[in-house]
């Protein structure tokens, strides 16, 4: 096989390898984006579980407080201090759940941005690899022509 052909084949293999690397980077970015989406789902599920647990704690504490007030012969409907206490307890529960919901929303928004950036990086890697492969192929063609015509490449 003549040297020009060997050079051309080498450049072709290099160009193909560059494109394969870009395809691999894009596939990896898709996998990473899928993993981020899975984390978002897990995050939502954990927030829901924490919210339900907090609701159970609230219900249990409210029932216990009502029972305690009733045992002390305090009318929960007529006694303003009891009503104020139970109202404040409900407000605290609502605040806790709202903080949890807001934190979850912020975390998931950040994860969504990470996912989109990851997908863009993969797309950019593929596009870059195609341009690099084109440049390698062009270099290969020029080199092939030089070797074929007897011009030495340094």
């Amino acid at each position: 096989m003549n040297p020009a052909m060997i050079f051309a084949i080498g450049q072709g293999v290099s160009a193909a390898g560059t494109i394969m690397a870009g395809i691999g980077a894009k596939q990896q970015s898709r996998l990473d984006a899928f993993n981020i989406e899975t984390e978002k789902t897990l995050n939502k599920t954990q927030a829901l579980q924490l919210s339900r647990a907090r609701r159970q704690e609230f219900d249990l504490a409210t029932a216990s407080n009502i029972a305690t007030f009733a045992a002390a012969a305090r009318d929960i409907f007529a006694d303003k201090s009891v009503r104020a206490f139970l109202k404040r307890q409900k407000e605290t529960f609502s605040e806790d759940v709202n903080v949890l919901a807001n934190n979850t929303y912020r975390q998931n928004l950040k994860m969504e941005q990470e996912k989109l950036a990851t997908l863009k990086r993969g797309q950019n890697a593929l596009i870059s690899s195609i341009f690099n492969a084109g440049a390698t192929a062009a270099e290969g063609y020029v080199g092939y022509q030089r070797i074929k015509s007897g011009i030495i490449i340094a």
Side-chain angles (χ1 to χ4, degrees):
M1 194 178 290
N2 70 33
M5 189 58 69
I6 292 172
F7 182 78
I9 290 171
Q11 291 297 89
V13 169
S14 179
T18 300
I19 291 174
M20 294 303 290
I23 291 170
K26 184 164 184 172
Q27 289 174 340
Q28 182 64 48
S29 74
R30 285 181 179 166
L31 178 61
D32 292 344
F34 175 79
N35 288 338
I36 291 170
E37 192 64 36
T38 301
E39 284 182 51
K40 281 176 52 181
T41 302
L42 178 61
N43 195 28
K44 287 178 187 176
T45 302
Q46 288 174 336
L48 184 59
Q49 289 174 338
L50 288 172
S51 180
R52 285 183 180 163
R54 182 65 183 99
R55 178 65 189 203
Q56 288 175 342
E57 289 173 11
F58 168 74
D59 290 344
L60 183 62
T62 300
S64 175
N65 288 332
I66 290 172
T68 301
F69 290 134
R74 293 178 75 178
D75 185 356
I76 61 169
F77 299 109
D79 191 329
K80 289 183 181 180
S81 65
V82 171
R83 282 197 323 240
F85 173 78
L86 293 175
K87 181 181 176 189
R88 181 64 190 132
Q89 191 175 17
K90 188 173 186 176
E91 288 170 357
T92 301
F93 162 72
S94 294
E95 289 169 4
D96 289 350
V97 170
N98 283 337
V99 166
L100 180 62
N102 286 335
N103 288 343
T104 301
Y105 173 78
R106 280 192 215 102
Q107 288 172 346
N108 283 351
L109 186 60
K110 180 181 176 189
M111 287 180 190
E112 182 66 19
Q113 290 170 341
E114 287 176 26
K115 179 182 91 171
L116 294 174
T118 298
L119 288 171
K120 189 64 176 171
R121 274 192 300 274
Q123 181 182 12
N124 290 345
L126 178 58
I127 291 169
S128 175
S129 74
I130 291 169
F131 283 122
N132 287 337
T136 300
E139 288 174 15
Y141 178 75
V142 170
Y144 173 80
Q145 292 299 328
R146 284 183 176 172
I147 292 172
K148 189 175 164 187
S149 65
I151 300 173
I152 306 278
I153 303 175

